[in-house]
């Protein structure tokens, strides 16, 4: 039962990484799109692609928090009393990001649009970095079982920095791939984001390579488990990543989003497999942190409800807003 609850919780982590990650990555490309005139087309595609789904994707974050809080309360208390600073920054970033995105669309003057656009874009980088740093602090064993760990070194350490940077570049890769596919018949925008997806893929590969040395020196157990138990998942991630690059190089949209999502999902799964059976570093096992069995059965019911209600709703939402390619720009031809 404990392993099943952990797997259900981790399924939410994978969904949030694959779906929410693309939304965050779009903010980075918004930030680097250039001035108002130069970046208008690129930002328009971001607006029409992210606008309908960015709030819906946060459903998975709520799902994960509910499972962690209810299913593993000891770990939840330890994480929130140690990593409260990056978690607070992540929440702040989510709020500012949503506000900036909404107010930019409602603003009529260029200076206001720039201000809200910067708020949307910078918080889209800050939030995934903080989530990655939190994951690094947990995986490297810097969150004590009793909580109230070091509020600075718990998320400012080599593994956390690696996790934060990797989260940002992976989100950028996902977003560029999704936007390449979303461009549809707009060849200019398709090639614009295709180039950025290739750059993001190369940077992700370099960061991953550097991460091998970081984990070997700073989180040896995690490195060992990733190179043994988690190796099959990492191999799948690598193969999907190479397949995605091949599709980008040949300007093939079919299957592009699926390969990118599979690559990221495999990386996250590899981390989870390597971490098992510990929830915090190497000192708190899942079996030691789990809630009483009646609570676990309630969570099973929550997962079933999510499968019946949330998943079909999200699939329908994505299908509705993925038809027909991008809309023309306001005032465009």
């Amino acid at each position: 039962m404990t392993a099943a609850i952990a797997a259900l919780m981790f399924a939410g982590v994978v969904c949030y990484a694959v779906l929410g990650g693309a939304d965050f990555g779009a903010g980075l490309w918004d930030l680097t799109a250039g001035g108002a005139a130069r970046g208008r087309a690129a930002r328009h595609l971001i607006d029409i692609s992210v606008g309908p789904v960015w709030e819906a994707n946060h459903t998975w974050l709520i799902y994960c928090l509910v499972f962690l809080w209810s299913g593993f309360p000891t770990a939840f208390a330890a994480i929130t009393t140690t990593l409260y600073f990056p978690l607070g920054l992540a929440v702040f970033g989510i709020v500012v990001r949503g506000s900036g995105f909404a107010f930019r669309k409602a603003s009529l003057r260029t200076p206001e649009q720039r201000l809200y656009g910067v708020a949307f874009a910078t918080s889209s980088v800050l939030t995934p970095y903080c989530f990655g740093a939190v994951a690094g602090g947990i995986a490297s064993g810097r969150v004590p079982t009793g909580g109230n760990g070091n509020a600075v070194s718990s998320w400012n350490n080599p593994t956390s920095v690696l996790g934060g940077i990797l989260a940002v570049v992976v989100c950028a890769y996902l977003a560029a791939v999704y936007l390449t596919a979303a461009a549809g018949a707009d060849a200019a925008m398709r090639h614009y984001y295709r180039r950025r997806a290739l750059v993001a893929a190369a940077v992700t590969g370099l960061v991953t390579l550097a991460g091998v040395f970081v984990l070997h020196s700073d989180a040896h157990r995690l490195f060992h488990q990733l190179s043994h138990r988690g190796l099959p998942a990492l191999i799948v991630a690598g193969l999907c990543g190479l397949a995605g690059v091949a599709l980008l190089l040949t300007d093939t949209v079919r299957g592009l989003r699926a390969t990118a999502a599979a690559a990221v999902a495999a990386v996250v799964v590899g981390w989870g497999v390597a971490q098992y059976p510990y929830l915090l570093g190497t000192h708190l096992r899942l079996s030691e942190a789990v809630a009483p069995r009646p609570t676990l059965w309630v969570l099973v019911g929550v997962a079933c409800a999510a499968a019946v209600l949330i998943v079909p709703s999200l699939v329908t939402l994505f299908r509705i807003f993925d038809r027909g390619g991008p809309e023309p720009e306001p005032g465009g031809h």
Side-chain angles (χ1 to χ4, degrees):
M1 175 66 82
T2 300
I5 294 298
L8 290 172
M9 178 177 71
F10 209 75
V13 175
V14 172
C15 290
Y16 190 57
V18 170
L19 300 175
D23 292 346
F24 288 123
L28 185 145
W29 299 123
D30 190 290
L31 183 65
T32 58
R38 179 185 170 191
R40 181 177 291 110
R43 292 191 175 99
H44 176 67
L45 182 58
I46 290 173
D47 286 347
I48 62 175
S49 299
V50 175
V53 300
W54 67 273
E55 286 185 294
N57 287 333
H58 285 309
T59 302
W60 297 112
L61 177 61
I62 299 170
Y63 172 93
C64 294
L65 289 174
V66 168
F67 263 74
L68 181 60
W69 176 27
S70 303
F72 305 95
T74 302
F76 181 86
I79 292 169
T80 53
T81 58
T82 299
L83 296 166
Y84 55 86
F85 198 78
L87 288 172
L89 282 176
V91 172
F92 175 76
I94 289 173
V95 174
V96 172
R97 177 178 178 272
S99 301
F101 186 73
F103 287 135
R104 182 176 69 175
K105 296 188 71 172
S107 299
L108 300 178
R109 296 188 298 176
T110 300
E112 291 179 351
Q113 292 175 341
R114 286 174 176 165
L115 175 63
Y116 293 128
V118 168
F120 161 68
T122 54
S123 57
S124 295
V125 176
L126 172 67
T127 301
Y129 179 87
C130 289
F131 280 139
V134 167
I138 294 171
S140 60
R142 288 180 166 90
V143 178
T145 301
N148 297 298
N150 192 299
V152 177
S153 64
S154 60
W155 69 289
N156 284 298
N157 57 77
T159 303
S160 288
V161 172
L162 170 65
I165 294 175
L166 190 59
V168 172
V169 296
V170 164
C171 288
Y173 170 67
L174 273 176
V177 166
Y178 287 11
L179 289 167
T180 299
D186 188 340
M189 279 295 96
R190 191 173 69 253
H191 292 305
Y192 175 92
Y193 280 111
R194 183 170 68 90
R195 291 192 299 269
R196 280 151 180 77
L198 287 169
V199 171
V203 173
T204 301
L206 292 174
V207 172
T208 302
L209 183 62
V212 172
F213 301 97
V214 172
L215 293 180
H216 184 269
S217 62
D218 190 61
H220 188 70
R221 181 193 177 274
L222 181 62
F223 170 81
H224 176 78
Q225 293 297 87
L226 281 172
S227 59
H228 289 78
R229 184 192 296 169
L231 186 59
L234 297 187
I235 291 175
V236 171
L239 292 175
C240 290
L242 291 174
V245 170
L247 291 174
L248 288 167
L249 289 173
T250 57
D251 197 16
T252 303
V253 174
R254 189 178 185 87
L256 182 59
R257 282 186 282 199
T259 55
V264 174
V267 170
V268 178
V269 169
W271 165 49
V273 170
Q275 188 73 20
Y276 185 82
Y278 294 96
L279 207 160
L280 299 179
T282 59
H283 51 270
L284 182 64
R285 293 176 178 267
L286 289 165
S287 57
E288 298 169 339
V290 73
R293 185 167 290 267
T295 302
L296 302 186
W297 280 115
V298 172
L299 291 176
V300 170
V302 170
C304 293
V308 172
L309 299 176
I310 297 177
V311 174
S313 300
L314 288 177
V315 170
T316 302
L317 178 68
F318 295 148
R319 288 177 63 87
I320 289 174
F321 287 98
D322 193 40
R323 293 176 180 171
E327 302 168 358
E329 294 182 61
H333 301 285

